[in-house]
């Protein structure tokens, strides 16, 4: 079988983010999107017609012989149910983040994939973007010296300002940590390796929130989750990173991620994007803008991790946006919130390897046009 033979993709979940994948997947010849499905069939019909992709029922898509990977773009609360159904149907599965809403559900999905010899992959894949791979290169070069710590901040007033159906962000399995934490923690693990233990504090000061986006402007959401979460992450390497994820902040001026080494500091751009300005400052020197030397920085390439997994299946190598990495991120996020509830420091059991850098060889020969 040729390494580059396209892999059949079936999308389940045709909501807000599906258009981004349907557009971006066209940049990756290894991805052949053969069908879309949604439990709300008219939603699938809309996206199928918009992108010229055949529409099937969820059951037909799962039963189809031409689908190798199910791309699971459902809401977080459905990720494991749909993922397990895909595995049971003999398909690999690549899911939007988070992997699951509880660690035990996430473990179940990973274990089932391993038992059946099928791949489980998971967003985010933004850490594969050019700016973030440039950061990885800087860390790996040793230019920072010994990394002692860092910070990670995502703080906004909440997604009910723009998302047409924002309820899931405030239900069990939502909240700023599970929603945005995956981008930050995955990039931190890409840079620094796994987290060993955490502490956390968190609050839910407003029990209801008004939707201000259309079409549901004025409806109220009952809040079930922490909406301001603050934690300390102790990495196995010894580095200590402060993290704050919040849906309760009007505005701020923190850099998304800062990494502090004994010889230099690294400013990492927004890990929800593939590009952005990388900066460094060595001891006794000025800030320097570091040019991005890796590809996939000047656009929204959500599909890069899926394309990497598709190629990994063909060439029998590990994929980078892996279920193991996503399970680790989930365990870390859940532990920060558990620590907030219990007041205890929590040890992290999963210790995945850092994903391999997206080297020039792979970029130039496999993922490019
Ligand atoms: N919206 C964004 O900008 C964005 C960005 C990055 C990641 N994500 C992630 O993508 C996922 C989807 O987010 P969204 O904003 O597209 O949500 P959405 O609510 O707009 O769409 C989800 C779709 O999944 C369908 N669905 C739900 N449960 C299902 C099931 N059991 N079987 C089949 N279909 C089912 C719904 O009918 C809906 O059409 C989430 O995990 C989210 O965290 C969203």
């Amino acid at each position: 079988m040729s390494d580059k033979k396209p892999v059949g993709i079936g999308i389940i979940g045709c909501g807000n983010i599906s258009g981004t994948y349907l557009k971006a997947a066209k940049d990756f010849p290894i991805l052949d999107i053969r069908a879309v499905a949604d439990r709300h069939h008219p939603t699938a019909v809309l996206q199928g017609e918009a992108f010229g992709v055949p529409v099937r029922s969820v059951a037909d898509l799962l039963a189809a012989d031409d689908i190798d990977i199910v791309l699971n773009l459902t809401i977080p609360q459905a990720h494991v149910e749909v993922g397990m159904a895909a595995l049971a149907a003999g398909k690999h599965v690549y899911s939007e983040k988070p992997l699951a809403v509880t660690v035990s559900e996430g473990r179940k999905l990973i274990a089932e994939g391993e038992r059946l010899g099928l791949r489980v992959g998971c967003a985010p894949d933004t850490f594969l973007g050019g700016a973030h791979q440039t950061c990885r290169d800087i860390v790996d070069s040793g230019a920072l010296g010994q990394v002692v710590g860092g910070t990670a901040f995502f703080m906004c007033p909440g997604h009910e300002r723009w998302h047409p159906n924002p309820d899931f962000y405030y239900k069990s399995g939502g909240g700023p940590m599970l929603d945005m934490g995956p981008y930050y923690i995955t990039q931190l693990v890409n840079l620094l390796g796994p987290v060993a233990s955490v502490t956390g504090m968190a609050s839910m000061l407003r029990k209801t929130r008004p939707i201000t986006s259309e079409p549901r402007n004025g409806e109220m959401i009952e809040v079930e989750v922490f909406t301001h979460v603050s934690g300390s992450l102790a990495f196995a390497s010894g580095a200590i990173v402060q993290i704050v994820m919040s849906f309760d902040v009007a505005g701020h001026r923190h850099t998304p991620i800062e990494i502090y080494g004994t010889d230099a500091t690294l400013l990492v751009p927004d890990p929800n994007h593939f590009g952005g300005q990388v900066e460094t400052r060595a001891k006794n020197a000025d800030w320097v803008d570091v040019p991005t030397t890796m590809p996939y920085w000047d656009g929204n390439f959500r599909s890069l991790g899926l394309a990497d997994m598709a190629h990994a299946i063909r060439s029998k190598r590990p994929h980078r946006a892996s279920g193991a990495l996503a399970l680790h991120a989930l365990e870390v996020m859940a532990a920060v919130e558990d620590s907030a509830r219990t007041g205890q420091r929590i040890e992290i059991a999963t210790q995945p390897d850092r994903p391999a850098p997206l080297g020039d060889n792979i970029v130039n020969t496999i993922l490019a046009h």
Side-chain angles (χ1 to χ4, degrees):
M1 191 183 292
S2 152
D3 255 5
K4 290 186 180 174
K5 190 179 157 214
V7 170
I9 310 294
I11 294 180
I12 300 183
C14 294
N16 199 277
I17 198 64
S18 62
T20 305
Y21 277 89
L22 281 154
K23 259 189 233 119
K26 296 196 169 90
D27 286 337
F28 299 100
I30 195 149
L31 302 178
D32 185 6
I33 300 191
R34 296 184 178 150
V36 292
D38 195 290
R39 71 170 170 199
H40 185 242
H41 195 68
T43 304
V45 171
L46 268 180
Q47 285 301 63
E49 283 175 358
F51 289 91
V53 178
V55 181
R56 297 182 191 158
S57 69
V58 172
D60 284 352
L61 186 152
L62 288 173
D65 287 339
D66 62 343
I67 303 297
D68 304 299
I69 303 177
V70 167
L71 175 55
N72 179 3
L73 304 182
T74 62
I75 56 173
Q77 292 78 359
H79 285 174
V80 170
E81 172 202 325
V82 170
M84 293 296 273
L87 293 174
K91 319 291 187 206
H92 309 282
V93 63
Y94 184 97
S95 174
E96 248 308 329
K97 52 78 191 166
L99 180 69
V101 298
T102 65
V103 176
S104 62
E105 288 276 286
R107 282 190 197 283
K108 196 172 84 179
L109 186 68
I110 301 297
E112 190 63 358
E114 278 168 6
R115 189 181 74 81
L116 294 170
L118 293 166
R119 304 284 184 126
V120 177
C122 189
D125 55 1
T126 40
F127 74 93
L128 299 173
H132 299 291
Q133 290 292 308
T134 299
C135 292
R136 168 74 183 258
D137 202 38
I138 291 168
V139 171
D140 289 357
S141 75
L144 303 184
Q146 190 172 11
V147 175
V148 294
T151 57
F153 290 106
F154 173 85
M155 298 185 289
C156 78
H159 295 325
E160 66 274 28
R161 292 164 301 148
W162 64 271
H163 196 287
N165 271 311
D167 310 63
F168 74 85
Y169 290 115
Y170 296 97
K171 299 300 173 193
S172 173
M177 185 50 109
L178 278 194
D179 178 44
M180 296 307 289
Y183 297 109
Y184 290 77
I185 292 168
T186 305
Q187 172 60 336
L188 285 168
V189 174
N190 175 46
L191 296 178
L192 304 180
V195 177
S197 68
V198 308
T199 58
M201 290 197 186
S203 64
M204 184 190 83
L205 296 185
R206 288 178 285 167
K207 310 276 181 289
T208 58
R209 302 175 66 120
I211 298 177
T212 54
S213 60
E214 297 301 337
R216 297 176 53 206
N217 197 344
E219 283 182 45
M220 297 301 281
I221 305 174
E222 304 281 331
V223 180
E224 293 177 1
V225 291
F226 291 130
T227 52
H228 187 85
V229 184
S230 165
S232 291
L233 315 179
F235 284 76
S237 69
I240 298 169
V241 174
Q242 266 63 55
I243 185 166
V244 182
M245 301 280 123
S246 182
F247 287 161
D248 288 324
V249 172
H252 70 90
R253 288 179 164 189
H254 291 287
T255 310
I257 297 176
E258 301 194 354
I259 302 291
Y260 310 126
T262 47
D263 294 336
T265 289
L266 169 67
L267 304 189
V268 181
D270 186 345
N272 188 11
H273 297 291
F274 291 80
Q277 184 63 59
V278 177
E279 292 176 66
T280 55
R281 182 175 190 164
K283 252 188 306 196
N284 306 320
D286 289 332
W287 288 106
V288 173
D289 284 352
V290 182
T292 290
T293 50
M294 317 279 181
Y296 301 115
W297 58 269
D298 58 343
N300 191 343
F301 297 102
R302 277 184 167 78
S303 287
L304 178 54
L306 174 66
D308 177 59
M309 185 169 106
H311 183 74
I313 291 167
R314 290 273 183 259
S315 55
K316 301 185 173 52
R317 62 159 171 82
H319 55 286
R320 291 172 171 82
S322 68
L325 183 59
L327 181 63
H328 180 65
L330 178 62
E331 190 186 359
V332 170
M333 296 186 290
V336 170
E337 295 198 344
D338 283 348
S339 171
R341 283 183 204 97
T342 62
Q344 302 295 308
R345 179 171 177 150
I346 296 181
E347 305 291 323
I348 304 300
T350 54
Q351 293 293 295
D353 292 333
R354 291 199 301 168
L358 194 64
D360 290 344
N361 181 41
I362 284 185
V363 168
N364 294 334
T365 60
I366 293 153
L367 296 178
H369 294 262

